[in-house]
Each structure stands twice: as C-alpha cells, then as structure tokens.
Amino acid sequence: MPAPDRDLPPRDAASRIVETLRRAGHTAYFAGGCVRDELLGRTPDDYDVATDATPERVMTLFPRSGEVGKSFGVVLVQAPGSRHVVEVATFRSDGQYTDSRRPDSVRFSTPEEDAARRDFTVNALFLDPITGNILDFVGGQADLAARLLRAVGRPEARLAEDHLRALRAVRLAAKLAFTIEPATAHAIRTHAKDLRGVSRERVGDEIERMLTNPARARAAALLRDLNLEPPVLDWTGRQASGPSLAALPPHASYIAALAAWALDLGLEPGDAPREALVTSWRQSLCLSNEHRDGLAAVLAGVEVLRGPWPAAGVAAQKRLAAKREFETILTVLYTLDLPRAESTRSRVRELALTPSGIAPPPFLTGDDLISLGLKPGPAFRRILDAVYDAQLEDRVQTFEQARELAGSLSVKAG
Ligand code: ATP
Ligand code: MG
C-alpha cells in the first residue's frame, strides 16, 4: 500500500492544485515570493498559486477551501490529500488607491496585469511547476540575477500608492542581501515621511520580521540610509549606529534585537531615558505587553550588569540572575562588553554552587508572618525581602532560622 499522502510536502500540495485547475481548463502558476525563492535556491516559506479561475470557481473545484477577503479574490485551499493550505489568487489588477494602503477595487484580469500590480519585479514572476517555465513580464529574472530590488512600473507612483512597500523593500533587500535599485531607493526616501500614515500594527509587524531575521543589522542600516528611522520609531537616536545588532547571534529573539537596536542608536544610561524609549517604541512599533516589559527589563538589566552588579551583594546578584530575561540580558551584554559578559557568566556559575542556589523557594511567605502575629502593612514586604536576602546569602538555612529572623526584624520594625 502506498503511504497516504496527507503529508505531501508543501510544494507538491501546491503543484497538485495547479494540476487540478489545469485539468478543469484554467491557467494556473506558482506566483510571487515562492518563485523568487526557488530561483534563488532558497526554500520558500509558503507557496502561492495564481489562476484565471474566479474565486467561486476555485471553491467549486476544491471542496476544502474558503475565501479570504472576497474583494481581493484570494481563496485558501487545502490541497487534496494534504494538510497544507495554499493561497489561490485570481489574476487581478488593482484599482485606485485612495488610502495609500489598499486598492479601492480590484478587477479580475490577466497574468500580465497581475504582474503589474505586484510590488517588486522579483516578486512578479510566475512559474509553471510542471514544466519549470517562467513567465516574466517585468524583467524580474534579470533583476534576480543582478540581485536588485526594483519597483514594478514607476517607483514614485508605486511607493505613493502603498507606503508599506518601503518597509517591504528594506525587509526583502536585507534578508536576500539585494541592493535596492537607485530610482526605487530614491522614491522610498522621497516618501519616507508618508509612512506615518501606515497603521502602527503593520509597521511593527514588518519591523519584527526584520529584527528576527539574521540580517537584522543590514535592515537597520537600510532604514537609516533611506530616512525611515524617524517615521518608524518616532524617536530620535543620538548616534548613527553601534555594534550590538550586528553582533547578536543569528536566532536572537525580538526582545534581544529591540534592546540591541536601542543601544546602537545611543540610548543613554538612566531610568528616565530608558522609560521614555520603551513608552515611545511601544506606541510606534505596537509592541505587545510581553515585548514591552521584556525590552524594559533587558535594557535595565544590561545597565546594571555594565555598572554596579559586580560589586553588588550576593542577594542582589542572585535576584538579577533569577530574572526571566537574564539570558537575554547576557546575550545583549555579550555584544557590548565581552569580558564583562564572561565574568558575569562565571560569577553566576559560582552563585549557583552556593548552598541556596540562585532562586530557592522562599522559606517564609506572608502567611507565615501572619501566623507570627504580624499585621499586613508596609513593614510586611520589607521583612519578607530581608529574610529572603538572608536566605540567598545563606545566613538563614532553615525555616526555623527564617522565622526567628522575621521575629527579630518585626520587633525592630514595630
Ligand atoms: P516573504 O518571503 O516575506 O513571504 P513574499 O514576497 O512572499 O515575501 P508576501 O507578503 O507573502 O511576500 O506576498 C506575496 C506576494 O504578493 C509578493 O511576492 C508580491 O508579489 C505580492 N505583494 C505582497 N504585498 C504587496 C504589496 N504591498 N504591494 C504589491 N504587491 C504585494
Ligand atoms: Mg510569502
């Protein structure tokens, strides 16, 4: 028995959809980023199919399908015998843009017109997955060979129509190590300030994709070079660039990359500038609570490790080392001060070998203080912290000793 093909690789799933459309009398190709990536020898993230079949027709041909954005003519199809979902889009040409972001209307059309509405020439190629033939109406193959990112049509008009294309250009040029063709780059610079009209959510999404890619330093340099930094960040850095982003490990997290970027732009030490930056970036990049809190904790942690940490007491050292973000803090510190990062790492190893370790469960809780006859109040937290510090420093090693210390502290406090 042949194995059931529920796990058809994505490319085969998409090819099968093309074959089905062809058998039903339609034209169908692979389109967009997947063609570009295949021709570059990269593995596409996903495969998109473009066809002359209308969305209704596509949904009749594939029972397991559903429409997304009716007006845009895109249907999500689950290939027969596969888990993979493929976007099948009807060839279309986009109407006028009045909001600089989405066309007001679309009209179903030909492959040639469909190529013309795409953003960059290397994104506007069609591939016949069965014969390997390429359809190229816009010189995309020549630009691929020259590693050039060039707007389809008049760069000025295409950038004015959809300002997000400026960020797509930076993200793709950085990721693929392409040059942005001069007229396209000029149009991006000209329209840089118009980016303020794009929703912060979409800006943030593009920036997250840039900063989580190993080519993040190239992306940051392009943003600067194309005057996109002010409209993206809505915050003015002090310096052109620092070493941190470029020195991060390839798979560093978004939080690590945000912190490295802030430091590269010359964030000054101190609570106030740090808080101002975090508040501002939260807005401009539409950061989630998790990313905002992570960024704040990493920037604060890096400052402590670069400053007072080596001379701090054992309890203070352990409290920082126990933070959820500590590994990220160290990752960023490595990009700025290697000797300090290594000495921190070895100090943490020593702390882990102390009897209490880095983050022991506390001997005492608020309930224990209540059973000692203490009333919840401002002194409460201070006593718990002092007892936990003593535990971290191995000055108290048992529950009994902890209770005694709490008792004597409460007498003092009272
Ligand atoms: P990635 O590798 O990041 O997925 P991609 O080129 O596949 O890059 P998608 O966002 O998946 O990007 O878009 C698929 C295709 O749709 C693009 O290759 C391009 O042809 C077209 N496209 C996407 N966004 C735009 C846009 N803002 N303007 C014009 N065409 C676009
Ligand atoms: Mg894609």
Side-chain angles (χ1 to χ4, degrees):
M1 280 284 285
D5 48 12
R6 287 200 65 76
D7 266 339
L8 269 187
R11 188 185 205 279
D12 295 350
S15 294
R16 206 169 267 198
I17 291 170
V18 167
E19 283 170 40
T20 305
L21 285 162
R22 297 255 177 95
R23 272 202 305 276
H26 293 289
T27 308
Y29 303 105
F30 285 0
C34 66
V35 179
R36 172 200 74 211
D37 287 344
E38 283 208 347
L39 294 176
L40 288 171
R42 301 170 66 101
T43 307
D45 295 333
D46 44 36
Y47 287 84
D48 295 335
V49 168
T51 178
D52 65 353
T54 61
E56 288 71 27
R57 180 82 173 127
V58 173
M59 288 192 289
T60 318
L61 287 169
F62 301 95
R64 296 172 72 85
S65 61
E67 207 160 12
V68 281
K70 196 175 177 67
S71 53
F72 292 94
V74 177
V75 177
L76 293 178
V77 175
Q78 185 165 13
S82 158
R83 285 181 299 113
H84 295 289
V85 171
V86 175
E87 271 192 23
V88 179
T90 307
F91 298 131
R92 65 177 202 250
S93 68
D94 292 340
Q96 286 287 314
Y97 281 67
T98 45
D99 71 350
S100 314
R101 200 161 68 75
R102 287 233 183 277
D104 303 339
S105 62
V106 301
R107 183 168 53 75
F108 295 139
S109 66
T110 58
E112 192 159 358
E113 283 186 287
D114 191 68
R117 62 121 189 137
R118 293 178 183 267
D119 49 6
F120 305 109
T121 61
V122 296
N123 283 352
L125 297 167
F126 299 101
L127 168 71
D128 180 334
I130 294 133
T131 61
N133 283 343
I134 305 272
L135 249 72
D136 180 1
F137 299 104
V138 294
Q141 288 178 103
D143 286 338
L144 264 187
R147 304 186 80 81
L148 273 181
L149 203 71
R150 180 198 307 272
V152 173
R154 288 176 37 237
E156 185 60 31
R158 302 309 310 288
L159 264 300
E161 196 170 82
D162 176 359
H163 303 309
L164 196 74
R165 288 178 187 147
L167 295 186
R168 286 181 53 83
V170 169
R171 175 167 64 79
L172 291 171
K175 165 170 116 168
L176 304 170
F178 275 31
T179 306
I180 301 179
E181 174 275 326
T184 304
H186 182 260
I188 293 174
R189 276 194 197 94
T190 307
H191 286 281
K193 65 181 187 320
D194 301 335
L195 194 67
R196 291 189 201 274
V198 178
S199 88
R200 298 323 302 193
E201 209 174 327
R202 300 186 66 188
V203 171
D205 184 58
E206 287 291 333
I207 296 298
E208 180 169 359
R209 294 174 73 177
M210 288 177 204
L211 289 187
T212 48
N213 188 282
R216 53 181 72 88
R218 202 150 52 209
L222 278 172
L223 288 175
R224 166 162 295 264
D225 184 44
L226 295 169
N227 301 339
L228 289 166
E229 225 171 60
V232 163
L233 290 176
D234 221 358
W235 177 85
T236 316
R238 263 189 330 131
Q239 67 191 36
S241 64
S244 198
L245 265 187
L248 283 178
H251 297 291
S253 67
Y254 187 34
I255 291 172
L258 284 167
W261 198 20
L263 292 161
D264 278 352
L265 294 177
L267 172 67
E268 302 209 37
D271 289 349
R274 194 170 63 235
E275 278 158 22
L277 175 137
V278 173
T279 307
S280 162
W281 286 24
R282 167 179 182 68
Q283 287 260 323
S284 49
L285 301 178
C286 202
L287 299 181
S288 66
N289 290 346
E290 187 197 337
H291 288 151
R292 176 204 51 195
D293 295 347
L295 174 61
V298 171
L299 289 173
V302 167
E303 216 172 286
V304 173
L305 290 184
R306 294 177 92 180
W309 193 84
V314 167
Q317 289 186 335
K318 286 184 177 180
R319 282 176 187 270
L320 183 66
K323 279 198 188 299
R324 194 155 56 101
E325 298 84 3
F326 188 70
E327 273 307 312
T328 313
I329 296 170
L330 258 192
T331 299
V332 175
L333 184 62
Y334 265 101
T335 68
L336 297 165
D337 186 343
L338 183 81
R340 178 59 66 94
E342 304 219 295
S343 62
T344 303
R345 169 90 68 211
S346 70
R347 176 66 182 140
V348 170
R349 253 185 249 127
E350 283 169 20
L351 293 170
L353 293 174
T354 58
S356 54
I358 301 277
F363 287 130
L364 293 194
T365 66
D367 288 346
D368 298 313
L369 295 196
I370 291 169
S371 76
L372 276 171
L374 274 114
K375 299 234 171 348
F380 225 63
R381 183 76 257 159
R382 280 202 302 277
I383 294 175
L384 282 179
D385 283 347
V387 174
Y388 192 58
D389 280 353
Q391 180 180 351
L392 291 174
E393 290 174 356
D394 297 303
R395 288 184 279 113
V396 304
Q397 305 206 335
T398 64
F399 175 72
E400 268 316 314
Q401 292 171 352
R403 268 174 61 101
E404 269 168 40
L405 178 59
S408 67
L409 288 170
S410 73
V411 171
K412 272 187 228 152

